[in-house]
């Protein structure tokens, strides 16, 4: 399998963490959104990252891809089978992507990815807007963060992966979880072998040719 997208994206990281948790081999081709790579564009109609190629099959959108992987490789699940828990897992995924990351990316893009990586002008007003929105997400996460274990109980699931992945992206702009239950849960996530593996990928920066 081949994953397209830069690991700094919470959605790309989420997908890679799911692949690691499932023990599925894959190759990561790091590229930015809208990259003019033909193999990538063939499977990401709007140029968004991530996208996945699996043999003849191609798909974009992290949540769609994870639903596909879960159906194709149900062993070592990241989604619970029980109906209420499955619904909650999808809720956390949706919350992470469309509320938490929606605010966080305003900051990440305008203070880091845009100006530092893509050499694009920064919209500081949008970053400030994201900063004003984030406390609501932080308060919500703190209200559901468990004293021990994971967001859905005993099993580590997509719920934990999706929310933690947004926090990891926010670290690029100096934002870390500081509410106590959230910080303790996030530290536990950081001990997962899957997380450590992705942290190594994320720490590696290929040198530019001289
Ligand atoms: N819901 C999508 C979101 C993907 C997404 O928006 N990725 C960003 C990068 S973090 C992107 O490609 N942005 C470019 C764009 O929106 O045109 C997913 O989960 O994959």
């Amino acid at each position: 399998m081949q994953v397209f997208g830069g690991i700094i994206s919470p959605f790309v990281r989420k997908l890679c963490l799911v692949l690691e948790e499932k023990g599925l081999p894959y190759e990561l081709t790091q590229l930015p959104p809208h990259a003019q790579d033909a193999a990538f564009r063939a499977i990401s109609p709007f140029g968004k990252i991530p996208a996945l190629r699996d043999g003849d099959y191609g798909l974009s959108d992290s949540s769609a891809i994870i639903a596909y992987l879960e159906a194709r490789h149900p062993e070592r699940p990241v989604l619970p089978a029980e109906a209420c828990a499955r619904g909650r897992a999808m809720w956390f995924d949706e919350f992470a992507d469309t509320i938490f990351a929606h605010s966080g990316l305003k900051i990440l893009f305008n203070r880091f990815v845009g100006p530092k990586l893509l050499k694009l002008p920064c919209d500081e007003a949008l970053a400030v807007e994201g900063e004003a929105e984030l406390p609501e997400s932080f308060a919500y996460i703190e209200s559901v963060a468990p004293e021990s274990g994971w967001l859905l109980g005993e099993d580590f699931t997509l719920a934990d992966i999706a929310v933690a992945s947004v926090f990891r992206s926010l670290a690029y702009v100096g934002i870390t979880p500081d509410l106590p239950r959230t910080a303790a849960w996030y530290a536990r996530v950081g001990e997962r072998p899957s997380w450590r593996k992705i942290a190594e990928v994320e720490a590696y920066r290929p040198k530019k040719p001289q």
Side-chain angles (χ1 to χ4, degrees):
M1 277 186 276
Q2 188 176 12
V3 173
F4 294 91
I7 196 75
I8 189 172
S9 156
F11 314 112
V12 175
R13 188 183 306 102
K14 175 176 69 162
L15 172 57
C16 292
L17 285 164
V18 165
L19 286 158
E20 295 291 342
E21 286 288 332
K22 285 181 162 294
L24 297 170
Y26 64 97
E27 181 193 319
L28 176 63
T29 302
Q30 296 215 48
L31 42 69
H34 308 292
Q36 291 307 315
D37 176 295
F40 164 62
R41 294 312 292 252
I43 53 174
S44 183
F46 296 92
K48 289 187 182 246
I49 56 171
L52 176 91
R53 161 76 50 202
D54 186 12
D56 291 343
Y57 187 67
L59 196 61
S60 80
D61 190 283
S62 61
S63 303
I65 296 167
I66 291 163
Y68 161 75
L69 291 172
E70 190 75 357
R72 182 148 292 252
H73 302 280
E75 60 284 351
R76 298 162 95 171
V78 293
L79 290 173
E82 191 275 323
C84 296
R86 165 92 46 133
R88 291 281 290 164
M90 295 319 298
W91 151 252
F92 277 114
D93 185 44
E94 184 68 9
F95 158 73
D97 288 8
T98 64
I99 300 175
F100 189 25
H102 180 74
S103 303
L105 287 177
K106 291 179 186 174
I107 308 169
L108 181 69
F109 194 84
N110 289 296
R111 294 212 180 127
F112 187 82
V113 176
K116 294 210 163 65
L117 303 183
L118 303 178
K119 309 292 175 220
L120 292 173
C122 145
D123 184 342
E124 181 55 23
L126 211 51
V128 169
E129 190 177 287
E131 266 178 338
E133 290 168 0
L134 274 181
E136 199 177 354
S137 283
F138 291 155
Y140 170 67
I141 296 165
E142 183 68 5
S143 76
V144 292
E147 212 164 294
S148 62
W150 310 112
L151 289 173
L152 297 184
E154 284 182 8
D155 294 325
F156 184 74
T157 69
L158 176 62
D160 304 285
I161 293 171
V163 177
S165 187
V166 179
F167 272 120
R168 178 63 189 90
S169 289
L170 286 173
Y172 284 87
V173 284
I175 298 172
T176 49
D178 56 0
L179 295 173
R181 290 171 80 108
T182 307
W185 158 83
Y186 188 63
R188 291 195 294 279
V189 175
E191 287 163 15
R192 304 279 305 179
S194 61
W195 190 270
R196 291 191 173 165
K197 175 83 188 294
I198 296 306
E200 279 172 25
V201 174
E202 202 146 1
Y204 174 71
R205 293 266 175 280
K207 285 204 176 82
K208 285 197 182 127
Q210 300 295 313

